[in-house]
Amino acid sequence: MGRPLCLLFDCDGTLVDSEPLLADEMATALNAVGLPFQASDYVGEFRGARFRRIVAALENRHGSVDPAALEPLEATMRANLNRRLATELTPIEGASDALAALADYPMGVVSNGPESKIRTSLVATGLDTLFGDRLFSAYTANCWKPDPCLYRYAASALGYSPEQCLAIEDSVVGVRAALEAGMRVVHLNRYPDVEETPEGAIMITSMFQLPAVVARVVMEPVLARAAGR
């Protein structure tokens, strides 16, 4: 018999193709307060990072901005982003098929974004029905990737140990968080020419590959016992 397995999915860039919209709105917001930033900078350097962490990195390079401006800046950026997510967002290619094939597994979404953004993204792409309220936001847990505590929080809430979970992530930040949490990790590496999969993670380049990888992970204990006989 295979191992019990809970699937924990990142949202942006793993389930939904929100990163181009996020990067565009982030560039508009940051440039408005004098922090030079292009949409391509998000994918190139900051993919998966918390917004305030990006702000801090840019302030180190270009000088500080008024702290009082940051909260309304982020609120406006997220409001504009949510409007676009509701009308422009599409699933990552292969995500719908992979989720349908894996529907018998317990699963949740683990994201650095606010829960309202996660929910908006899933509803807009029709992926919400598989997850229900099993949405785990860093803003609720008060813990952001790459800290592993967000993944540990999600596993505990669902009643699984980290060793019983498989995380599916597209960013190196998220992959490292899940690995440090003690989970098996699949890295959806959509940029294999420029991005290296961290040691210990399983690399795929398409969500269409995920069901076969999950089946293999489930059977690992059986295969290990058979090899030991």
Side-chain angles (χ1 to χ4, degrees):
M1 187 175 181
R3 73 171 79 199
L5 196 65
C6 179
L7 306 180
L8 299 177
F9 291 86
D10 173 54
C11 188
D12 299 306
T14 300
L15 294 176
V16 300
D17 197 15
S18 54
E19 289 183 334
L21 301 179
L22 173 61
D24 188 41
E25 291 300 328
M26 200 174 286
T28 298
L30 292 170
N31 281 287
V33 291
L35 293 176
F37 186 86
Q38 298 181 17
S40 58
D41 294 334
Y42 179 77
V43 173
E45 183 178 358
F46 295 111
R47 199 156 57 84
R50 182 189 180 193
F51 177 68
R52 291 301 179 95
R53 189 173 181 183
I54 296 171
V55 170
L58 295 175
E59 286 184 314
N60 284 337
R61 299 172 194 175
H62 305 293
S64 298
V65 301
D66 181 2
L70 288 179
E71 189 169 338
L73 172 78
E74 184 173 0
T76 299
M77 179 196 76
R78 294 201 180 280
N80 291 337
L81 178 60
N82 279 344
R83 282 194 290 272
R84 295 187 66 183
L85 292 175
T87 58
E88 300 177 40
L89 190 61
T90 58
I92 290 291
E93 185 178 11
S96 299
D97 294 296
L99 289 174
L102 298 168
D104 289 339
Y105 288 89
M107 58 178 68
V109 178
V110 182
S111 172
N112 266 358
E115 186 175 329
S116 60
K117 176 173 173 284
I118 304 170
R119 201 173 293 278
T120 296
S121 298
L122 296 177
V123 169
T125 52
L127 302 179
D128 56 306
T129 56
L130 285 171
F131 296 102
D133 291 327
R134 298 182 300 278
L135 312 179
F136 303 97
S137 164
Y139 286 80
T140 302
N142 196 32
C143 178
W144 284 261
K145 306 169 192 175
D147 195 309
C149 64
L150 179 57
Y151 268 110
R152 290 174 182 153
Y153 167 81
S156 176
L158 291 171
Y160 290 85
S161 67
E163 293 77 17
Q164 293 174 311
C165 295
L166 179 71
I168 301 92
E169 278 276 358
D170 74 299
S171 72
V172 170
V173 167
V175 169
R176 288 178 175 153
L179 285 172
E180 194 171 337
M183 298 180 179
R184 297 298 305 275
V185 185
V186 172
H187 180 204
L188 173 61
N189 189 347
R190 295 187 291 123
Y191 309 96
D193 294 338
V194 297
E195 190 166 276
E196 186 174 346
T197 293
E199 184 177 355
I202 304 166
M203 188 185 83
I204 61 175
T205 56
S206 166
M207 284 292 278
F208 288 113
Q209 298 170 282
L210 183 61
V213 171
V214 171
R216 190 164 70 244
V217 171
V218 168
M219 292 304 295
E220 281 178 350
V222 176
L223 297 174
R225 286 196 297 271
R229 281 202 296 264

